[in-house]
Amino acid sequence: MDFINEFLQNVFGNLANFDWRQVVMWLIGAILIYLAVKKEMEPTLLLPMGFGAILLNLPMSGALEPIEVLYNAGIANDLFPLLLFVGIGAMIDFTPLLSNPKLMLFGAAAQFGIFFTFTMASFIPLFELHDAASIAIIGAADGPTSIKVANSLGTQFAGSIAVAAYSYMALVPVIIPPVVKLVTTKKERQIRMAYSTTQVKQSTKILFPILVTIVAGCIAPEAASLIGFLMFGNLIRECGVLGSLSETAQKVLANLITLFLGITIAFQMQAEKFVKLETFIIIGLGLVAFIFDIIGGVMFAKFINLFSKNKVNPMIGAAGISAFPMASRVVHKMGLEEDPQNFLLMHAAGANVAGQISSAIAGGLILSFML
Amino acid sequence: MGYWEMVGGNVIQSLKYMLFGMAGIFVITAIIIAGMVLLNKAMAGKPKNTSEE
């Protein structure tokens, strides 16, 4: 009998370390994998995060140690998000924005949700001010910015924030249409915008990332790393002499970092940190941030229309959220649904890349305020 | 401790940051737009319509 007991203790003893919250994390991991595989929602991140959530929530998981090494090497010091920004910068074509600079305003307006959510979160006694700021940055609609700000501010909710940020980015096609329809009329959505553009010279495209880095970095020094890495990637793309580096940044670097980023974020998804009331509140506040980003962009476009002779389709404001390129595609599609001859893609893409810059600036400003 | 005593300070701070943040973004944006316009003028010369090219 003792032999059997010893056998059971030695072979199955670890099962005694089970915690019901770990099973909840398995379910969350399974849902993330399902969304990634079946619904193709941000699969490059949701799948590693989902698997990581399962892997790290095995009782006494031996994967904890190597993933903690990765976490300390790549996320705790912001390295992974910043390197990913190099890849994202190399993927972005700023031509639609450079040919119509005023679209930059819509990127700025669509960050309203961040600051609105900051205030909303500060009404909840469960969150300290730095937690509220970290939660609000979900509204940046930009994973690397959310991770960078949450980590820099040292919030304990970094895992929930990353999950919410990437989940809502994946849900942009579901979130934008009803919110836009709520705050616009059919007539407004049918506004056509003329597509005439100034020719953008190669030299302008080269100088633009340098200009943005200097301006944003001087005014909001905490934004220098986010904006700087984003613009570095773009400079590699546009300079015309680093084709292979640009291609590497867009594909190999971005894929490699994404691969490790997802599973490393899961380090913050350990049951004892994740399964609590605050997580659900954070997920709710993330949705608030996205909704008010969209409303901010749309209402700003409507405000511009009060004074402008050339009317702007207010849906362009919704493309000002950072989720690139999905937000612009959704707005373009909505425009075509309202009027099959209304092609908004270039305007929406301009606002969308502006949102990418503005969200990094917003992240930098929040860090400047809080640190 | 009452509810407002718990959160009041944070709410006022966050409202201040909301004001500073949105104002800051628009100021930086305005400078970048001015820079873009100047760059376009300096580098591209007169604006052209793409349909004419």
Side-chain angles (χ1 to χ4, degrees):
Chain A
M1 197 56 143
D2 283 348
F3 175 78
I4 293 172
N5 275 341
E6 195 179 339
F7 168 76
L8 291 174
Q9 183 62 36
N10 279 313
V11 177
F12 298 108
N14 190 39
L15 297 181
N17 296 314
F18 248 122
D19 181 336
W20 65 271
R21 292 173 298 183
Q22 291 173 323
V23 180
V24 174
M25 291 311 297
W26 291 5
L27 287 174
I28 291 172
I31 290 169
L32 293 179
I33 292 171
Y34 172 79
L35 291 175
V37 176
K38 282 286 177 190
K39 303 288 178 185
E40 292 189 31
M41 288 181 169
E42 294 282 341
T44 51
L45 273 150
L46 291 192
L47 190 138
M49 281 166 69
F51 184 74
I54 295 170
L55 179 68
L56 287 170
N57 286 290
L58 300 170
M60 306 296 284
S61 176
L64 201 59
E65 201 173 320
I67 290 184
E68 186 175 10
V69 171
L70 272 176
Y71 182 85
N72 290 329
I75 292 190
N77 57 12
D78 302 330
L79 189 65
F80 285 175
L82 293 177
L83 287 177
L84 189 55
F85 252 37
V86 176
I88 294 171
M91 290 176 206
I92 295 178
D93 179 6
F94 284 113
T95 308
L97 179 62
L98 284 163
S99 61
N100 190 1
K102 73 177 180 204
L103 290 173
M104 188 81 200
L105 290 168
F106 300 111
Q111 307 310 313
F112 173 69
I114 295 176
F115 296 101
F116 179 80
T117 307
F118 189 0
T119 303
M120 289 298 104
S122 66
F123 273 100
I124 299 169
L126 292 169
F127 302 123
E128 299 287 332
L129 198 60
H130 70 280
D131 296 324
S134 305
I135 294 163
I137 206 67
I138 295 171
D142 182 15
T145 303
S146 302
I147 294 167
K148 154 88 179 147
V149 172
N151 273 308
S152 297
L153 296 181
T155 178
Q156 56 176 313
F157 304 114
S160 322
I161 289 166
V163 171
Y166 279 110
S167 304
Y168 287 129
M169 279 169 65
L171 289 170
V172 156
V174 180
I175 299 171
I176 288 183
V179 177
V180 167
K181 284 180 181 172
L182 190 71
V183 289
T184 56
T185 62
K186 189 171 179 63
K187 198 177 167 189
E188 285 172 328
R189 294 194 295 274
Q190 287 176 329
I191 293 175
R192 289 189 184 183
M193 293 173 69
Y195 174 51
S196 69
T197 177
T198 51
Q199 188 186 27
V200 180
K201 284 265 176 79
Q202 173 87 5
S203 45
T204 308
K205 291 182 187 176
I206 293 172
L207 288 171
F208 176 69
I210 301 170
L211 167 85
V212 173
T213 305
I214 292 172
V215 172
C218 285
I219 297 176
E222 292 295 337
S225 58
L226 286 167
I227 284 287
F229 278 71
L230 184 74
M231 291 299 150
F232 172 57
N234 191 250
L235 184 58
I236 291 172
R237 172 198 174 97
E238 300 296 355
C239 70
V241 292
L242 295 173
S244 61
L245 286 193
S246 169
E247 200 174 317
T248 304
Q250 288 179 47
K251 293 175 183 169
V252 180
L253 178 69
N255 284 340
L256 195 62
I257 295 296
T258 304
L259 178 73
F260 285 117
L261 190 67
I263 201 159
T264 309
I265 288 169
F267 181 71
Q268 292 284 356
M269 294 175 72
Q270 293 167 63
E272 62 273 21
K273 292 182 192 171
F274 201 89
V275 183
K276 45 188 177 184
L277 175 66
E278 287 92 327
T279 302
F280 297 101
I281 298 174
I282 288 167
I283 287 168
L285 285 168
L287 184 60
V288 170
F290 265 67
I291 289 172
F292 278 86
D293 276 346
I294 296 164
I295 291 175
V298 171
M299 296 313 281
F300 184 77
K302 291 171 84 155
F303 176 73
I304 292 274
N305 281 347
L306 292 176
F307 309 101
S308 174
K309 203 191 284 181
N310 298 321
K311 300 292 181 201
V312 175
N313 189 315
M315 291 195 295
I316 296 299
I321 69 169
S322 175
F324 177 84
M326 217 184 300
S328 50
R329 284 183 190 157
V330 171
V331 166
H332 173 64
K333 197 174 154 210
M334 285 184 75
L336 288 176
E337 280 168 8
E338 297 293 342
D339 173 1
Q341 296 302 313
N342 197 3
F343 299 100
L344 296 172
L345 187 60
M346 285 303 279
H347 303 290
N352 203 183
V353 295
Q356 187 77 47
I357 297 173
S358 297
S359 66
I361 293 173
L365 284 172
I366 284 201
L367 288 177
S368 298
F369 298 154
M370 301 300 300
L371 293 177
Chain B
M1 194 190 278
Y3 171 73
W4 184 249
E5 285 163 324
M6 270 196 289
V7 302
N10 285 351
V11 170
I12 290 165
Q13 278 287 90
S14 63
L15 280 169
K16 188 178 84 179
Y17 290 149
M18 178 156 80
L19 192 67
F20 287 0
M22 288 311 291
I25 286 184
F26 274 105
V27 167
I28 295 172
T29 298
I31 297 170
I32 292 173
I33 291 174
M36 278 193 276
V37 172
L38 288 174
L39 270 180
N40 275 333
K41 280 191 176 168
M43 300 295 167
K46 288 180 183 174
K48 288 178 185 174
N49 192 310
T50 46
S51 60
E52 291 170 358
E53 288 170 23

